Amino acid sequence: MRRRREKRVKFSAFLMRIGAAALIVYLAVTLIVSQVDIMVKRQQLDSLTADLSRQVEENTELQRLYSAGESEEYIERIARDRLGYVAPDERIYIDMSGE
């Protein structure tokens, strides 16, 4: 009976060690995954911060143009360059030679 009890104690101790080792491995993996997630989120934050900075600069420039009364010329330039608009009697010639 004593041997049986000793075997149970040894088996219980073995199970406790296995459980502790599994818990440590789980915690280590969770920590590593969390650190990777934090690093990715920091990179996203840096990117968004840079985008915000560029947008603030663009907004400041637009506000300056609007305040200076140059908004009509600016709007016309944007309409021509980005949207491809032309004046009613205007003709656009495109050089197809590739030079």
Side-chain angles (χ1 to χ4, degrees):
M1 187 141 183
R2 185 174 173 170
R3 283 193 132 163
R4 191 182 239 180
R5 190 171 187 201
E6 286 177 9
K7 284 183 180 180
R8 277 188 188 169
V9 169
K10 286 182 181 181
F11 185 69
S12 294
F14 176 72
L15 285 180
M16 290 293 281
R17 287 181 184 159
I18 294 293
L23 180 64
I24 290 171
V25 168
Y26 172 76
L27 292 175
V29 169
T30 303
L31 179 66
I32 291 169
V33 169
S34 296
Q35 290 298 321
V36 169
D37 286 344
I38 288 170
M39 185 176 63
V40 168
K41 296 299 181 190
R42 279 195 179 137
Q43 289 173 347
Q44 288 176 347
L45 178 62
D46 291 343
S47 174
L48 290 173
T49 302
D51 291 345
L52 176 64
S53 177
R54 282 191 296 271
Q55 190 63 49
V56 166
E57 289 175 11
E58 183 179 342
N59 288 350
T60 303
E61 178 65 17
L62 290 173
Q63 187 65 36
R64 185 190 67 76
L65 289 172
Y66 182 75
S67 298
E70 300 174 10
S71 62
E72 215 170 292
E73 294 87 6
Y74 177 75
I75 291 172
E76 183 178 342
R77 189 177 81 226
I78 294 299
R80 288 177 181 277
D81 295 345
R82 292 189 187 168
L83 302 175
Y85 288 178
V86 295
D89 296 329
E90 184 179 27
R91 289 191 179 190
I92 303 292
Y93 296 96
I94 299 173
D95 182 14
M96 300 298 281
S97 66
E99 293 179 10

